[in-house]
Amino acid sequence: MATHKTRMLIIGSGPAGLSAAIYGARAMMEPIVVQGLQPGGQLTITTDVENYPGFRDVIQGPWLMQEMEAQAVHVGTRMMWDTIVEVDLSGPPFRAIGDSGDIYEGDTLVIATGAQAKWLGVPGEMELGGKGVSACATCDGFFYRGKKVAVIGGGNTAVEEALYLTNHSDDVTLIHRRDELRSEKILQERLFANPKITVLWNKTVERFEGDPLAGGLTHLVLKDTVTGETSDFAADGAFVAIGHAPATELFKGKLEMDASGYLVVEPGTPKTAIPGVFACGDVMDHTYRQAVTAAGTGCMAALDAERFVSGLNVDLQGHVEEAEAAG
């Protein structure tokens, strides 16, 4: 059992955590990143990435995260293979205890624990993941241009995904287990007014079928929640849109969260209500949930953490005024 001390402790190693680490290391903060249960975050289970700036060709999610980690290490980050099981936010220093028994102390704490898409948990879902089954239309919709797609769900996420997919497909079907949607009325109005979208009511997905090695998804097996009858529904792509679950269990009762469990930050910043504690990436962002936005908020968290440690906990305008006064 050992104690590791740093000026910046980062929990989570997806695009947000690693971007924070890169900026923190370059500011001589000597950050420690505790990688968690899924090193690299959600991108490690994303195959083709076509929308991350800087790459003209499709890249692989796991490769991108390996490169980010290598960059973070190269500029001075310490990567720790551990999972945090308990935190004490009464600092600074802020303390975290790992599953290994090791203790991590940081003058600042950057929370980048991310979120996970909720899945249906039915046969074929994981096997056909990235091969026709996805949980992110804005990530993968482009690959289904001109094809037949289905969206499973009935809340805001599902309706937004269905509407987004009409940019790529003229044949979008929303599959919902009830006979009415839970989404906001204005979204429902847009959905029902769109001629490219059909709604299948009172249907649940029993399983996804296809060949992961050849062609991917071919159809969904549906069950009628009223009659109990099963039927096949042919589709090239299926998007599970039943929401996301932020990884915030560690912080319950210690940091403010919204109704869905996302950490609450000061608008436009990664600052939590506790000075020196910052949240970035999908753990605080239920709107965009993209690698590039996560990386951006990771950068912001590192810059704010550096200012906090320097005792310059002021906004950018304050820095400008100080510079003018000095000049």
Side-chain angles (χ1 to χ4, degrees), residues 64-75:
L64 178 60
M65 297 321 300
Q66 287 169 12
E67 290 296 300
M68 276 196 197
E69 181 182 328
Q71 184 180 3
V73 171
H74 177 72
V75 291

Side-chain angles (χ1 to χ4, degrees), residues 5-91:
K5 297 187 178 184
T6 175
R7 297 175 80 196
M8 183 191 295
L9 174 61
I10 302 167
I11 305 176
S13 56
L18 292 177
S19 295
I22 291 165
Y23 274 81
R26 295 185 75 251
M28 310 306 291
M29 301 275 282
E30 300 179 333
I32 288 176
V33 172
V34 184
Q35 294 187 293
L37 289 172
Q38 190 179 31
Q42 292 184 76
L43 272 184
T44 57
I45 56 170
T46 304
T47 49
D48 293 344
V49 176
E50 201 169 36
N51 56 6
Y52 199 86
F55 304 96
R56 73 172 72 184
D57 296 319
V58 175
I59 57 173
Q60 299 301 299
W63 175 84
L64 178 60
M65 297 321 300
Q66 287 169 12
E67 290 296 300
M68 276 196 197
E69 181 182 328
Q71 184 180 3
V73 171
H74 177 72
V75 291
T77 301
R78 279 188 287 167
M79 305 295 298
M80 308 298 289
W81 291 88
D82 206 348
T83 301
I84 300 302
V85 294
E86 189 179 332
V87 292
D88 177 357
L89 304 184
S90 61

Side-chain angles (χ1 to χ4, degrees), residues 3-241:
T3 299
H4 310 276
K5 297 187 178 184
T6 175
R7 297 175 80 196
M8 183 191 295
L9 174 61
I10 302 167
I11 305 176
S13 56
L18 292 177
S19 295
I22 291 165
Y23 274 81
R26 295 185 75 251
M28 310 306 291
M29 301 275 282
E30 300 179 333
I32 288 176
V33 172
V34 184
Q35 294 187 293
L37 289 172
Q38 190 179 31
Q42 292 184 76
L43 272 184
T44 57
I45 56 170
T46 304
T47 49
D48 293 344
V49 176
E50 201 169 36
N51 56 6
Y52 199 86
F55 304 96
R56 73 172 72 184
D57 296 319
V58 175
I59 57 173
Q60 299 301 299
W63 175 84
L64 178 60
M65 297 321 300
Q66 287 169 12
E67 290 296 300
M68 276 196 197
E69 181 182 328
Q71 184 180 3
V73 171
H74 177 72
V75 291
T77 301
R78 279 188 287 167
M79 305 295 298
M80 308 298 289
W81 291 88
D82 206 348
T83 301
I84 300 302
V85 294
E86 189 179 332
V87 292
D88 177 357
L89 304 184
S90 61
F94 305 101
R95 300 174 82 247
I97 300 173
D99 188 53
S100 64
D102 282 9
I103 295 170
Y104 303 88
E105 290 187 353
D107 294 336
T108 58
L109 175 65
V110 175
I111 301 166
T113 47
Q116 298 288 339
K118 294 178 183 176
W119 294 95
L120 297 170
V122 299
E125 189 172 47
M126 293 297 106
E127 294 84 349
L128 290 163
K131 308 270 193 324
V133 177
S134 170
C136 182
T138 48
C139 309
D140 300 329
F142 186 73
F143 300 115
Y144 298 93
R145 298 184 302 281
K147 296 185 177 180
K148 184 177 181 180
V149 295
V151 177
I152 299 102
N156 285 351
T157 300
V159 175
E160 288 168 354
E161 301 261 281
L163 288 166
Y164 174 81
L165 285 166
T166 61
N167 294 319
H168 303 295
S169 169
D170 293 334
D171 191 347
V172 179
T173 301
L174 182 71
I175 300 170
H176 186 41
R177 59 184 175 175
R178 299 192 177 95
D179 59 2
E180 62 179 358
L181 300 174
R182 292 175 288 110
S183 66
E184 296 169 5
K185 295 300 180 187
I186 189 167
L187 286 174
Q188 293 189 39
E189 289 170 9
R190 290 176 191 160
L191 181 92
F192 296 138
N194 196 309
K196 297 180 181 180
I197 301 175
T198 305
V199 181
L200 279 184
W201 302 106
N202 299 315
K203 298 285 192 295
T204 58
V205 178
E206 290 283 281
R207 60 186 181 274
F208 298 95
E209 295 200 339
D211 186 346
L213 301 177
L217 178 74
T218 56
H219 64 277
L220 292 66
V221 177
L222 306 179
K223 182 177 181 179
D224 192 294
T225 58
V226 178
T227 66
E229 292 179 9
T230 59
S231 59
D232 289 352
F233 180 84
D236 301 299
F239 294 85
V240 178

